[in-house]
Amino acid sequence: MSRYALLCAAGLVGIGACPGVALAETKADDGQNAPVSMHDRVTAGVGLASVPSYIGSDQNVIVPMAAAQGQIAGLGFELEGTSLSLDFVPHGDARGFKIQAGPVASLRLDRTTKIRDHAVRALGELSTAVELGGWIGLQKTGVLTSPYDTLSASLSYQHDVAGAHRSYIVSPEIDYDTPLSHRLYASLSVSADYVGRRFGAYYYDIDGAGSRASGLPTYSGAHKAGWKDWNANLMVARSITGDLTHGMKVFASAGYGRLLGRYARSPVVAIAGRRGQPSFAVGLGYTF
């Protein structure tokens, strides 16, 4: 699953991540939310996403996606497609600031399958990267629209341990989540990826053999560390049974990513693909 499918899945699990969707009850007349309940809960969902066939492609493919988010005994987890993260800092009942931290693990499937472009496909399928690391963040509850919206800033570090790109990825991210009513929820996230030199060389450089096989020119400009891309995603969810604290929900997500600098100049992007890449998703979720 690509980075963009993960963003769509992240929006889905975000339905359960915001304290504003864990309401104990709501006021009947004025539509304002009552105090937050931090009881154990799980949100799970499935959907379909339209995402680039590889990061840098100008052709989208339809892929299934699944996600789950939960909080048990004050500790959180998120499963977003092929990425799993844990929050080992207990959640309290008080509003305000909260530190978040824990391990993260993911599989990077970029250019391992479903490569639509014939030239990039001729370069050969790449190996799956297994990326392990950790993340830390700071979340503020009660920001703009209500006492229950949240603004979060986080930073993650992962390193491939499977011998694929054998490098690292550092990803800062900012998320804003808000319940707009008892049944309506919105989430906006912006992130970027800083990658090591072997990451760039593995996914974006082309050697002589690759050039002869694909017809693309050789390229060796991506073998330096740098900012690879930035990504933005907007997700809206609406309850169709119950409310945001339990029952079935339908969601829609739209994302956009843009490759930067030496990575965008690679022939797999500049000739066979494009810098800017949209993604879309729809699906159903259920909160227990």
Side-chain angles (χ1 to χ4, degrees):
M1 184 176 291
S2 76
R3 168 67 174 169
Y4 306 107
L6 291 182
L7 284 171
C8 296
L12 187 153
V13 299
I15 300 170
C18 177
V21 303
L23 310 177
E25 58 186 13
T26 53
K27 295 181 181 179
D29 296 327
D30 61 9
Q32 296 299 309
N33 296 328
V36 173
S37 169
M38 302 303 291
H39 297 305
D40 294 351
R41 66 186 186 278
V42 174
T43 297
V46 294
L48 292 175
S50 172
V51 299
S53 67
Y54 63 89
I55 298 180
S57 174
D58 60 358
Q59 301 182 67
N60 277 30
V61 295
I62 303 298
V63 298
M65 64 178 190
Q69 185 275 341
Q71 177 179 289
I72 299 175
L75 303 180
F77 72 90
E78 290 187 2
L79 176 64
E80 306 169 7
T82 59
S83 179
L84 173 65
S85 63
L86 304 175
D87 183 3
F88 283 169
V89 180
H91 288 245
D93 290 333
R95 305 186 189 105
F97 288 97
K98 178 193 179 299
I99 295 175
Q100 302 169 300
V104 59
S106 62
L107 300 178
R108 184 174 297 270
L109 305 179
D110 197 27
R111 287 176 57 188
T112 61
T113 186
K114 293 188 176 181
I115 304 172
R116 287 289 182 86
D117 187 270
H118 69 278
V120 177
R121 187 166 58 246
L123 291 172
E125 292 184 350
L126 302 181
S127 299
T128 299
V130 179
E131 298 167 352
L132 304 180
W135 71 287
I136 187 169
L138 182 65
Q139 181 182 81
K140 173 67 167 65
T141 301
V143 182
L144 294 174
T145 61
S146 76
Y148 310 107
D149 63 342
T150 63
L151 179 65
S152 305
S154 63
L155 182 69
S156 67
Y157 173 90
Q158 293 177 262
H159 197 285
D160 172 38
V161 299
H165 60 76
R166 298 178 297 128
S167 191
Y168 64 88
I169 306 96
V170 179
S171 302
E173 183 170 341
I174 296 176
D175 298 274
Y176 177 70
D177 308 294
T178 181
L180 300 175
S181 70
H182 306 161
R183 295 177 176 269
L184 188 63
Y185 171 89
S187 174
L188 175 66
S189 64
V190 180
S191 65
D193 295 311
Y194 185 93
V195 300
R197 63 179 182 85
R198 287 183 292 191
F199 184 105
Y202 188 68
Y203 290 103
Y204 298 101
D205 279 352
I206 300 175
D207 60 15
S211 177
R212 290 188 293 273
S214 67
L216 296 172
T218 60
Y219 185 74
S220 59
H223 66 293
K224 295 180 180 179
W227 290 104
K228 180 177 72 73
D229 58 18
W230 62 264
N231 306 277
N233 191 71
L234 174 66
M235 190 277 299
V236 177
R238 182 173 180 81
S239 295
I240 53 178
T241 65
D243 56 28
L244 291 177
T245 67
H246 62 87
M248 188 74 70
K249 301 161 182 63
V250 60
F251 77 93
S253 178
Y256 181 80
R258 190 168 183 84
L259 285 151
L260 304 173
R262 60 179 64 93
Y263 313 101
R265 292 191 292 270
S266 167
V268 301
V269 180
I271 296 176
R274 63 186 173 197
R275 290 183 177 220
Q277 301 174 301
S279 60
F280 308 94
V282 293
L284 294 172
Y286 193 92
T287 299
F288 300 90

mmCIF file of all heavy atoms in Angstrom, residues 244-284:
data_model
loop_
_atom_site.group_PDB
_atom_site.id
_atom_site.type_symbol
_atom_site.label_atom_id
_atom_site.label_comp_id
_atom_site.label_asym_id
_atom_site.label_seq_id
_atom_site.Cartn_x
_atom_site.Cartn_y
_atom_site.Cartn_z
ATOM 1 N N LEU A 244 -21.126 9.522 16.832
ATOM 2 C CA LEU A 244 -19.696 9.343 16.642
ATOM 3 C C LEU A 244 -19.061 8.434 17.686
ATOM 4 O O LEU A 244 -17.949 7.941 17.483
ATOM 5 C CB LEU A 244 -18.985 10.708 16.665
ATOM 6 C CG LEU A 244 -19.275 11.630 15.481
ATOM 7 C CD1 LEU A 244 -18.562 12.956 15.672
ATOM 8 C CD2 LEU A 244 -18.870 10.993 14.161
ATOM 9 N N THR A 245 -19.756 8.188 18.798
ATOM 10 C CA THR A 245 -19.175 7.350 19.840
ATOM 11 C C THR A 245 -19.389 5.860 19.606
ATOM 12 O O THR A 245 -18.707 5.039 20.201
ATOM 13 C CB THR A 245 -19.775 7.712 21.217
ATOM 14 O OG1 THR A 245 -21.162 7.347 21.232
ATOM 15 C CG2 THR A 245 -19.639 9.199 21.488
ATOM 16 N N HIS A 246 -20.342 5.498 18.741
ATOM 17 C CA HIS A 246 -20.595 4.089 18.487
ATOM 18 C C HIS A 246 -21.435 3.975 17.217
ATOM 19 O O HIS A 246 -22.090 4.926 16.783
ATOM 20 C CB HIS A 246 -21.331 3.422 19.665
ATOM 21 C CG HIS A 246 -22.685 4.004 19.930
ATOM 22 N ND1 HIS A 246 -23.825 3.567 19.301
ATOM 23 C CD2 HIS A 246 -23.071 5.012 20.749
ATOM 24 C CE1 HIS A 246 -24.864 4.264 19.729
ATOM 25 N NE2 HIS A 246 -24.431 5.157 20.609
ATOM 26 N N GLY A 247 -21.388 2.792 16.611
ATOM 27 C CA GLY A 247 -22.198 2.547 15.431
ATOM 28 C C GLY A 247 -21.440 2.712 14.127
ATOM 29 O O GLY A 247 -20.227 2.929 14.085
ATOM 30 N N MET A 248 -22.196 2.616 13.031
ATOM 31 C CA MET A 248 -21.632 2.636 11.683
ATOM 32 C C MET A 248 -21.423 4.061 11.188
ATOM 33 O O MET A 248 -22.205 4.957 11.478
ATOM 34 C CB MET A 248 -22.569 1.891 10.731
ATOM 35 C CG MET A 248 -22.012 1.678 9.333
ATOM 36 S SD MET A 248 -20.734 0.400 9.284
ATOM 37 C CE MET A 248 -21.749 -1.060 9.587
ATOM 38 N N LYS A 249 -20.314 4.234 10.401
ATOM 39 C CA LYS A 249 -19.997 5.523 9.820
ATOM 40 C C LYS A 249 -19.603 5.339 8.364
ATOM 41 O O LYS A 249 -19.055 4.308 7.979
ATOM 42 C CB LYS A 249 -18.828 6.182 10.567
ATOM 43 C CG LYS A 249 -19.098 6.391 12.043
ATOM 44 C CD LYS A 249 -17.832 6.595 12.811
ATOM 45 C CE LYS A 249 -18.118 6.758 14.298
ATOM 46 N NZ LYS A 249 -18.737 5.539 14.869
ATOM 47 N N VAL A 250 -19.871 6.344 7.546
ATOM 48 C CA VAL A 250 -19.387 6.386 6.182
ATOM 49 C C VAL A 250 -18.381 7.529 6.095
ATOM 50 O O VAL A 250 -18.550 8.568 6.752
ATOM 51 C CB VAL A 250 -20.546 6.577 5.176
ATOM 52 C CG1 VAL A 250 -21.294 7.882 5.433
ATOM 53 C CG2 VAL A 250 -20.030 6.518 3.747
ATOM 54 N N PHE A 251 -17.310 7.340 5.321
ATOM 55 C CA PHE A 251 -16.311 8.390 5.229
ATOM 56 C C PHE A 251 -15.848 8.564 3.795
ATOM 57 O O PHE A 251 -15.953 7.668 2.948
ATOM 58 C CB PHE A 251 -15.103 8.078 6.134
ATOM 59 C CG PHE A 251 -14.173 7.037 5.563
ATOM 60 C CD1 PHE A 251 -13.080 7.412 4.799
ATOM 61 C CD2 PHE A 251 -14.394 5.691 5.797
ATOM 62 C CE1 PHE A 251 -12.228 6.459 4.269
ATOM 63 C CE2 PHE A 251 -13.546 4.737 5.276
ATOM 64 C CZ PHE A 251 -12.454 5.116 4.504
ATOM 65 N N ALA A 252 -15.323 9.750 3.505
ATOM 66 C CA ALA A 252 -14.701 10.052 2.216
ATOM 67 C C ALA A 252 -13.430 10.833 2.492
ATOM 68 O O ALA A 252 -13.359 11.638 3.432
ATOM 69 C CB ALA A 252 -15.646 10.860 1.329
ATOM 70 N N SER A 253 -12.406 10.578 1.676
ATOM 71 C CA SER A 253 -11.099 11.180 1.902
ATOM 72 C C SER A 253 -10.505 11.620 0.571
ATOM 73 O O SER A 253 -10.670 10.948 -0.451
ATOM 74 C CB SER A 253 -10.174 10.167 2.585
ATOM 75 O OG SER A 253 -8.882 10.714 2.764
ATOM 76 N N ALA A 254 -9.818 12.762 0.589
ATOM 77 C CA ALA A 254 -9.105 13.245 -0.588
ATOM 78 C C ALA A 254 -7.713 13.683 -0.153
ATOM 79 O O ALA A 254 -7.557 14.374 0.857
ATOM 80 C CB ALA A 254 -9.845 14.410 -1.246
ATOM 81 N N GLY A 255 -6.702 13.260 -0.902
ATOM 82 C CA GLY A 255 -5.327 13.593 -0.548
ATOM 83 C C GLY A 255 -4.544 14.087 -1.744
ATOM 84 O O GLY A 255 -4.937 13.885 -2.908
ATOM 85 N N TYR A 256 -3.424 14.728 -1.456
ATOM 86 C CA TYR A 256 -2.532 15.208 -2.516
ATOM 87 C C TYR A 256 -1.106 15.132 -1.990
ATOM 88 O O TYR A 256 -0.820 15.558 -0.858
ATOM 89 C CB TYR A 256 -2.869 16.645 -2.904
ATOM 90 C CG TYR A 256 -1.994 17.184 -4.021
ATOM 91 C CD1 TYR A 256 -2.251 16.871 -5.351
ATOM 92 C CD2 TYR A 256 -0.904 18.005 -3.739
ATOM 93 C CE1 TYR A 256 -1.455 17.350 -6.374
ATOM 94 C CE2 TYR A 256 -0.096 18.493 -4.758
ATOM 95 C CZ TYR A 256 -0.380 18.173 -6.076
ATOM 96 O OH TYR A 256 0.417 18.648 -7.089
ATOM 97 N N GLY A 257 -0.215 14.575 -2.803
ATOM 98 C CA GLY A 257 1.196 14.512 -2.458
ATOM 99 C C GLY A 257 2.022 15.098 -3.577
ATOM 100 O O GLY A 257 1.643 15.034 -4.757
ATOM 101 N N ARG A 258 3.184 15.680 -3.232
ATOM 102 C CA ARG A 258 4.037 16.276 -4.259
ATOM 103 C C ARG A 258 5.497 15.959 -3.963
ATOM 104 O O ARG A 258 6.009 16.247 -2.879
ATOM 105 C CB ARG A 258 3.840 17.787 -4.325
ATOM 106 C CG ARG A 258 4.532 18.427 -5.540
ATOM 107 C CD ARG A 258 4.080 19.849 -5.749
ATOM 108 N NE ARG A 258 4.675 20.445 -6.937
ATOM 109 C CZ ARG A 258 4.213 20.304 -8.174
ATOM 110 N NH1 ARG A 258 3.132 19.583 -8.380
ATOM 111 N NH2 ARG A 258 4.812 20.870 -9.201
ATOM 112 N N LEU A 259 6.155 15.342 -4.946
ATOM 113 C CA LEU A 259 7.566 15.015 -4.827
ATOM 114 C C LEU A 259 8.415 16.264 -5.031
ATOM 115 O O LEU A 259 8.036 17.181 -5.769
ATOM 116 C CB LEU A 259 7.944 13.936 -5.846
ATOM 117 C CG LEU A 259 7.448 12.541 -5.452
ATOM 118 C CD1 LEU A 259 7.180 11.703 -6.676
ATOM 119 C CD2 LEU A 259 8.469 11.865 -4.554
ATOM 120 N N LEU A 260 9.586 16.271 -4.399
ATOM 121 C CA LEU A 260 10.412 17.471 -4.357
ATOM 122 C C LEU A 260 11.807 17.219 -4.936
ATOM 123 O O LEU A 260 12.314 16.093 -4.914
ATOM 124 C CB LEU A 260 10.560 17.944 -2.911
ATOM 125 C CG LEU A 260 9.272 18.206 -2.135
ATOM 126 C CD1 LEU A 260 9.589 18.501 -0.677
ATOM 127 C CD2 LEU A 260 8.491 19.358 -2.760
ATOM 128 N N GLY A 261 12.410 18.280 -5.441
ATOM 129 C CA GLY A 261 13.830 18.322 -5.755
ATOM 130 C C GLY A 261 14.352 17.192 -6.604
ATOM 131 O O GLY A 261 13.803 16.846 -7.656
ATOM 132 N N ARG A 262 15.452 16.580 -6.131
ATOM 133 C CA ARG A 262 16.149 15.539 -6.892
ATOM 134 C C ARG A 262 15.295 14.297 -7.117
ATOM 135 O O ARG A 262 15.501 13.574 -8.081
ATOM 136 C CB ARG A 262 17.446 15.158 -6.178
ATOM 137 C CG ARG A 262 17.259 14.622 -4.766
ATOM 138 C CD ARG A 262 18.595 14.248 -4.134
ATOM 139 N NE ARG A 262 19.452 15.394 -3.960
ATOM 140 C CZ ARG A 262 19.515 16.128 -2.856
ATOM 141 N NH1 ARG A 262 18.753 15.813 -1.822
ATOM 142 N NH2 ARG A 262 20.320 17.155 -2.760
ATOM 143 N N TYR A 263 14.321 14.056 -6.231
ATOM 144 C CA TYR A 263 13.450 12.894 -6.394
ATOM 145 C C TYR A 263 12.428 13.142 -7.510
ATOM 146 O O TYR A 263 12.123 12.243 -8.290
ATOM 147 C CB TYR A 263 12.760 12.569 -5.075
ATOM 148 C CG TYR A 263 13.749 12.570 -3.934
ATOM 149 C CD1 TYR A 263 13.852 13.662 -3.076
ATOM 150 C CD2 TYR A 263 14.635 11.515 -3.767
ATOM 151 C CE1 TYR A 263 14.785 13.679 -2.054
ATOM 152 C CE2 TYR A 263 15.576 11.526 -2.748
ATOM 153 C CZ TYR A 263 15.649 12.617 -1.897
ATOM 154 O OH TYR A 263 16.592 12.648 -0.889
ATOM 155 N N ALA A 264 11.929 14.363 -7.582
ATOM 156 C CA ALA A 264 10.997 14.718 -8.652
ATOM 157 C C ALA A 264 11.689 14.769 -10.009
ATOM 158 O O ALA A 264 11.036 14.593 -11.048
ATOM 159 C CB ALA A 264 10.346 16.068 -8.352
ATOM 160 N N ARG A 265 12.999 15.002 -10.025
ATOM 161 C CA ARG A 265 13.728 15.050 -11.301
ATOM 162 C C ARG A 265 14.098 13.672 -11.831
ATOM 163 O O ARG A 265 14.576 13.544 -12.964
ATOM 164 C CB ARG A 265 14.987 15.908 -11.147
ATOM 165 C CG ARG A 265 14.693 17.386 -10.937
ATOM 166 C CD ARG A 265 15.951 18.217 -11.052
ATOM 167 N NE ARG A 265 16.881 17.985 -9.959
ATOM 168 C CZ ARG A 265 16.883 18.671 -8.822
ATOM 169 N NH1 ARG A 265 15.973 19.623 -8.619
ATOM 170 N NH2 ARG A 265 17.762 18.409 -7.874
ATOM 171 N N SER A 266 13.908 12.623 -11.046
ATOM 172 C CA SER A 266 14.184 11.269 -11.516
ATOM 173 C C SER A 266 13.307 10.942 -12.724
ATOM 174 O O SER A 266 12.132 11.326 -12.766
ATOM 175 C CB SER A 266 13.911 10.252 -10.403
ATOM 176 O OG SER A 266 13.888 8.940 -10.917
ATOM 177 N N PRO A 267 13.838 10.213 -13.711
ATOM 178 C CA PRO A 267 13.012 9.837 -14.870
ATOM 179 C C PRO A 267 11.761 9.037 -14.515
ATOM 180 O O PRO A 267 10.780 9.091 -15.269
ATOM 181 C CB PRO A 267 13.977 9.004 -15.720
ATOM 182 C CG PRO A 267 15.331 9.529 -15.376
ATOM 183 C CD PRO A 267 15.258 9.854 -13.916
ATOM 184 N N VAL A 268 11.780 8.287 -13.414
ATOM 185 C CA VAL A 268 10.573 7.540 -13.053
ATOM 186 C C VAL A 268 9.439 8.477 -12.664
ATOM 187 O O VAL A 268 8.274 8.086 -12.641
ATOM 188 C CB VAL A 268 10.844 6.522 -11.919
ATOM 189 C CG1 VAL A 268 11.925 5.528 -12.314
ATOM 190 C CG2 VAL A 268 11.203 7.214 -10.621
ATOM 191 N N VAL A 269 9.784 9.743 -12.364
ATOM 192 C CA VAL A 269 8.782 10.757 -12.046
ATOM 193 C C VAL A 269 8.647 11.754 -13.191
ATOM 194 O O VAL A 269 7.562 11.978 -13.731
ATOM 195 C CB VAL A 269 9.139 11.497 -10.741
ATOM 196 C CG1 VAL A 269 8.079 12.557 -10.429
ATOM 197 C CG2 VAL A 269 9.277 10.525 -9.586
ATOM 198 N N ALA A 270 9.767 12.388 -13.587
ATOM 199 C CA ALA A 270 9.724 13.477 -14.553
ATOM 200 C C ALA A 270 9.315 13.023 -15.949
ATOM 201 O O ALA A 270 8.680 13.785 -16.689
ATOM 202 C CB ALA A 270 11.091 14.157 -14.617
ATOM 203 N N ILE A 271 9.665 11.795 -16.336
ATOM 204 C CA ILE A 271 9.331 11.289 -17.668
ATOM 205 C C ILE A 271 8.165 10.303 -17.610
ATOM 206 O O ILE A 271 7.190 10.440 -18.350
ATOM 207 C CB ILE A 271 10.558 10.612 -18.311
ATOM 208 C CG1 ILE A 271 11.669 11.650 -18.526
ATOM 209 C CG2 ILE A 271 10.174 9.963 -19.640
ATOM 210 C CD1 ILE A 271 12.950 11.060 -19.060
ATOM 211 N N ALA A 272 8.261 9.304 -16.747
ATOM 212 C CA ALA A 272 7.243 8.255 -16.691
ATOM 213 C C ALA A 272 6.083 8.604 -15.770
ATOM 214 O O ALA A 272 5.039 7.942 -15.824
ATOM 215 C CB ALA A 272 7.876 6.941 -16.237
ATOM 216 N N GLY A 273 6.230 9.602 -14.921
ATOM 217 C CA GLY A 273 5.183 9.921 -13.951
ATOM 218 C C GLY A 273 4.932 11.405 -13.842
ATOM 219 O O GLY A 273 4.971 12.132 -14.838
ATOM 220 N N ARG A 274 4.698 11.885 -12.617
ATOM 221 C CA ARG A 274 4.463 13.308 -12.380
ATOM 222 C C ARG A 274 4.754 13.639 -10.932
ATOM 223 O O ARG A 274 4.690 12.771 -10.051
ATOM 224 C CB ARG A 274 3.033 13.689 -12.731
ATOM 225 C CG ARG A 274 1.972 12.994 -11.880
ATOM 226 C CD ARG A 274 0.574 13.283 -12.365
ATOM 227 N NE ARG A 274 -0.422 12.492 -11.644
ATOM 228 C CZ ARG A 274 -1.660 12.299 -12.078
ATOM 229 N NH1 ARG A 274 -2.054 12.825 -13.213
ATOM 230 N NH2 ARG A 274 -2.504 11.573 -11.358
ATOM 231 N N ARG A 275 5.037 14.894 -10.667
ATOM 232 C CA ARG A 275 5.350 15.332 -9.300
ATOM 233 C C ARG A 275 4.130 15.299 -8.391
ATOM 234 O O ARG A 275 4.203 14.840 -7.253
ATOM 235 C CB ARG A 275 5.897 16.760 -9.322
ATOM 236 C CG ARG A 275 7.265 16.922 -9.926
ATOM 237 C CD ARG A 275 7.708 18.360 -9.807
ATOM 238 N NE ARG A 275 9.066 18.545 -10.318
ATOM 239 C CZ ARG A 275 9.964 19.326 -9.758
ATOM 240 N NH1 ARG A 275 9.655 19.995 -8.664
ATOM 241 N NH2 ARG A 275 11.168 19.461 -10.278
ATOM 242 N N GLY A 276 3.036 15.857 -8.853
ATOM 243 C CA GLY A 276 1.839 15.969 -8.029
ATOM 244 C C GLY A 276 0.911 14.793 -8.223
ATOM 245 O O GLY A 276 0.622 14.401 -9.359
ATOM 246 N N GLN A 277 0.394 14.236 -7.108
ATOM 247 C CA GLN A 277 -0.384 13.011 -7.182
ATOM 248 C C GLN A 277 -1.586 13.049 -6.248
ATOM 249 O O GLN A 277 -1.435 13.120 -5.032
ATOM 250 C CB GLN A 277 0.517 11.830 -6.822
ATOM 251 C CG GLN A 277 1.722 11.722 -7.754
ATOM 252 C CD GLN A 277 2.691 10.654 -7.316
ATOM 253 O OE1 GLN A 277 3.223 10.696 -6.223
ATOM 254 N NE2 GLN A 277 2.905 9.677 -8.185
ATOM 255 N N PRO A 278 -2.791 13.007 -6.826
ATOM 256 C CA PRO A 278 -3.995 12.977 -6.000
ATOM 257 C C PRO A 278 -4.344 11.556 -5.565
ATOM 258 O O PRO A 278 -3.923 10.571 -6.179
ATOM 259 C CB PRO A 278 -5.063 13.528 -6.940
ATOM 260 C CG PRO A 278 -4.597 13.068 -8.298
ATOM 261 C CD PRO A 278 -3.084 13.100 -8.254
ATOM 262 N N SER A 279 -5.123 11.448 -4.519
ATOM 263 C CA SER A 279 -5.647 10.160 -4.067
ATOM 264 C C SER A 279 -7.023 10.394 -3.458
ATOM 265 O O SER A 279 -7.326 11.483 -2.958
ATOM 266 C CB SER A 279 -4.716 9.516 -3.036
ATOM 267 O OG SER A 279 -4.574 10.358 -1.910
ATOM 268 N N PHE A 280 -7.861 9.362 -3.518
ATOM 269 C CA PHE A 280 -9.233 9.461 -3.026
ATOM 270 C C PHE A 280 -9.614 8.132 -2.375
ATOM 271 O O PHE A 280 -9.078 7.084 -2.731
ATOM 272 C CB PHE A 280 -10.211 9.772 -4.165
ATOM 273 C CG PHE A 280 -9.825 10.962 -4.987
ATOM 274 C CD1 PHE A 280 -9.086 10.804 -6.152
ATOM 275 C CD2 PHE A 280 -10.176 12.238 -4.588
ATOM 276 C CE1 PHE A 280 -8.708 11.891 -6.915
ATOM 277 C CE2 PHE A 280 -9.804 13.342 -5.338
ATOM 278 C CZ PHE A 280 -9.068 13.171 -6.497
ATOM 279 N N ALA A 281 -10.547 8.196 -1.435
ATOM 280 C CA ALA A 281 -11.001 6.971 -0.784
ATOM 281 C C ALA A 281 -12.414 7.140 -0.261
ATOM 282 O O ALA A 281 -12.848 8.248 0.086
ATOM 283 C CB ALA A 281 -10.069 6.583 0.357
ATOM 284 N N VAL A 282 -13.140 6.031 -0.203
ATOM 285 C CA VAL A 282 -14.451 5.980 0.430
ATOM 286 C C VAL A 282 -14.523 4.666 1.207
ATOM 287 O O VAL A 282 -13.844 3.690 0.869
ATOM 288 C CB VAL A 282 -15.610 6.052 -0.589
ATOM 289 C CG1 VAL A 282 -15.653 7.407 -1.269
ATOM 290 C CG2 VAL A 282 -15.491 4.939 -1.623
ATOM 291 N N GLY A 283 -15.332 4.641 2.249
ATOM 292 C CA GLY A 283 -15.437 3.404 3.011
ATOM 293 C C GLY A 283 -16.412 3.499 4.154
ATOM 294 O O GLY A 283 -17.113 4.506 4.337
ATOM 295 N N LEU A 284 -16.459 2.415 4.914
ATOM 296 C CA LEU A 284 -17.312 2.299 6.082
ATOM 297 C C LEU A 284 -16.478 1.975 7.307
ATOM 298 O O LEU A 284 -15.510 1.202 7.234
ATOM 299 C CB LEU A 284 -18.356 1.194 5.877
ATOM 300 C CG LEU A 284 -19.416 1.409 4.800
ATOM 301 C CD1 LEU A 284 -20.239 0.132 4.622
ATOM 302 C CD2 LEU A 284 -20.311 2.585 5.163
#
